[in-house]
Amino acid sequence: MFKAILASNKRGISEIEMNYDNISETRKTINVGYHEKIDISKIADSKKYPDATGFATSPKNWEANQTEFQNWYNQPEILLIEILVTSLGLVATEIQQMDPQTSNYTTIKLLNQVEA
């Protein structure tokens, strides 16, 4: 399982967690189940709801088009979750992978880091 930590965006999505993928190299198709973690404080009207906090999780599905499949297939250094995030019009700053033994996430890739 992979998780992408996202740069700030107007939709308030802070993370994408990829639950499963179904890849057919023969048919050149990819179908992914994922969750968007939405930061309520970033999307709520702060004047109406000044105390709005917490996160909502929204399950989604995504299917790669032919170009996205080829980009993933021909570039093994690019992870499928990176293609997913880009396809959604979002920017990942970090990719994490879950350790199946401990269920903890570990950072495996830093991306799009902005220096202050």
Side-chain angles (χ1 to χ4, degrees), residues 22-64:
N22 186 356
I23 298 171
S24 170
E25 292 182 22
T26 308
R27 291 184 303 223
K28 297 185 176 1
T29 60
I30 300 173
N31 187 290
V32 171
Y34 69 96
H35 284 91
E36 294 178 345
K37 187 174 181 183
I38 301 165
D39 185 343
I40 302 298
S41 68
K42 301 221 176 176
I43 62 170
D45 183 340
S46 60
K47 290 180 182 153
K48 282 186 180 178
Y49 309 102
D51 298 330
T53 60
F55 291 91
T57 302
S58 177
K60 306 271 182 159
N61 283 307
W62 171 78
E63 193 166 309

Side-chain angles (χ1 to χ4, degrees), residues 87-101:
S87 173
L88 296 173
L90 301 166
V91 176
T93 58
E94 185 177 326
I95 304 295
Q96 299 178 349
Q97 185 172 19
M98 181 188 281
D99 178 338
Q101 254 86 42

Side-chain angles (χ1 to χ4, degrees), residues 96-111:
Q96 299 178 349
Q97 185 172 19
M98 181 188 281
D99 178 338
Q101 254 86 42
T102 65
S103 296
N104 293 327
Y105 280 96
T106 306
T107 299
I108 59 169
K109 220 175 191 187
L110 293 174
L111 309 159

